[in-house]
């Protein structure tokens, strides 16, 4: 039976494929204040702006490709039971071939009803005012905005508790509750932290190895280290 590798990924791994992150420039995301485009208040103020913002992100997603970091994580499924828990809303992990991907913050290629959070549709093209669910309610991006609950969190905690290894890739560890997930792993489980500018991790009981590299360089090194341990 394969050992379970739980990988927590953040914006850094997608940035290497050309997807910009709002942490790049003073809290601006593609030139927008994040609270204007990623909060329920922003949505109620200006639905057209929010829809246009995510339409642009969705179009951009059709133009980018997984990088070596994504591809190597998918390849690790040959040797480990790999579960990816990502803060990213793109589908680059799936494009790379990863089969167990949990999206904490939603998915760009899905939309949902504004009245029924369980009414979720796959969505490849632009979303506009007038696109509605089966009851006539406006559809919205299937994104977890600031101030909203993270529905997948309980599942993420359960997965992390079962890990034999934990890897954290491309995250500043500033976004909660995602940043706290590694603390749910068994204290003797090794944690590998891959980031070119690693943040300090406080109160972690686990053995920690920091790999101060970007994902395209660090994930292949992680694979080497894990295979040596087997």
């Amino acid at each position: 039976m394969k050992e379970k590798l739980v990988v927590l990924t953040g914006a850094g791994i997608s940035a290497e494929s050309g997807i910009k992150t709002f942490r790049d420039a003073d809290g601006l995301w593609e030139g927008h204040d994040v609270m204007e485009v990623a909060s329920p208040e922003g949505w109620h103020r200006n639905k057209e702006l929010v829809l246009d913002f995510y339409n642009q992100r969705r179009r951009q997603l059709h133009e980018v490709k997984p990088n070596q970091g994504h591809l190597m994580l998918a390849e690790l499924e040959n040797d480990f039971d790999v579960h990816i828990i990502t803060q990213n809303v793109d589908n680059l992990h799936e494009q790379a071939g990863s089969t167990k991907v949990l999206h904490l913050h939603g998915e760009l290629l899905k939309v949902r009803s504004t009245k029924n959070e369980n009414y979720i549709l796959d969505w490849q093209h632009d979303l506009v005012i007038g696109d509605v669910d089966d009851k006539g309610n406006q559809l919205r991006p299937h994104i977890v905005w600031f101030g909203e609950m993270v529905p997948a969190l309980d599942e993420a905690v359960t997965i992390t508790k079962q890990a034999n290894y934990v890897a954290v890739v491309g995250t500043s560890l500033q976004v909660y509750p995602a940043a706290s997930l590694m603390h749910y792993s068994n204290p003797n489980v090794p944690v590998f932290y891959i980031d070119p500018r690693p943040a300090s991790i406080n109160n972690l009981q686990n053995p920690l190895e920091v790999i101060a590299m970007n994902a395209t360089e660090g994930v292949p090194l992680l694979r080497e280290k894990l295979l040596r341990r087997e």
Side-chain angles (χ1 to χ4, degrees), residues 5 9 25 32 62 86 158 191 194 210 215:
L5 167 64
T9 68
H32 293 279
H62 292 308
T86 186
T158 300
V191 174
I194 301 171
V210 176

Side-chain angles (χ1 to χ4, degrees), residues 59-177:
R59 286 180 221 138
Q60 180 192 38
L61 183 52
H62 292 308
E63 297 169 0
V64 297
K65 293 281 184 284
N67 61 55
Q68 189 63 26
H70 296 107
L71 295 167
M72 193 61 70
L73 288 175
E75 197 173 305
L76 274 164
E77 291 191 13
N78 294 326
D79 302 289
F80 296 92
D81 178 17
V82 180
H83 290 253
I84 293 173
I85 301 170
T86 186
Q87 299 171 41
N88 300 332
V89 296
D90 58 65
N91 68 339
L92 293 175
H93 285 300
E94 289 91 341
Q95 282 191 48
S98 289
T99 60
K100 297 172 184 173
V101 183
L102 182 66
H103 288 267
L104 285 178
H105 296 160
E107 299 179 61
L108 260 181
L109 297 182
K110 291 185 178 177
V111 300
R112 73 171 186 259
S113 168
T114 48
K115 299 295 185 187
N116 176 8
E117 63 185 29
N118 296 314
Y119 185 96
I120 301 168
L121 300 174
D122 292 324
W123 204 266
Q124 295 283 336
H125 48 277
D126 285 0
L127 179 66
V128 299
I129 299 292
D131 288 327
V132 296
D133 67 8
D134 56 349
K135 301 279 197 304
N137 301 303
Q138 176 64 40
L139 297 170
R140 56 161 275 183
H142 183 48
I143 303 291
V144 178
W145 289 328
F146 287 98
E148 293 185 321
M149 298 290 288
V150 181
L153 186 60
D154 287 346
E155 185 180 353
V157 168
T158 300
I159 291 169
T160 306
K161 284 180 175 177
Q162 300 167 351
N164 299 109
Y165 302 99
V166 172
V168 181
V169 183
T171 169
S172 60
L173 298 175
Q174 302 300 307
V175 179
Y176 286 84

Side-chain angles (χ1 to χ4, degrees), residues 21-23 27-30 32-47 49-51 53-54 57 89 105 108 112 140-149 175:
T21 77
F22 68 80
R23 297 204 175 273
L28 296 180
W29 192 2
E30 296 279 1
H32 293 279
D33 180 330
V34 292
M35 299 311 286
E36 294 299 319
V37 294
S39 73
E41 296 78 15
W43 169 252
H44 290 303
R45 261 196 305 271
N46 193 337
K47 293 181 175 62
L49 172 69
V50 174
L51 290 174
F53 177 81
Y54 289 100
R57 307 284 76 70
V89 296
H105 296 160
L108 260 181
R112 73 171 186 259
R140 56 161 275 183
H142 183 48
I143 303 291
V144 178
W145 289 328
F146 287 98
E148 293 185 321
M149 298 290 288
V175 179

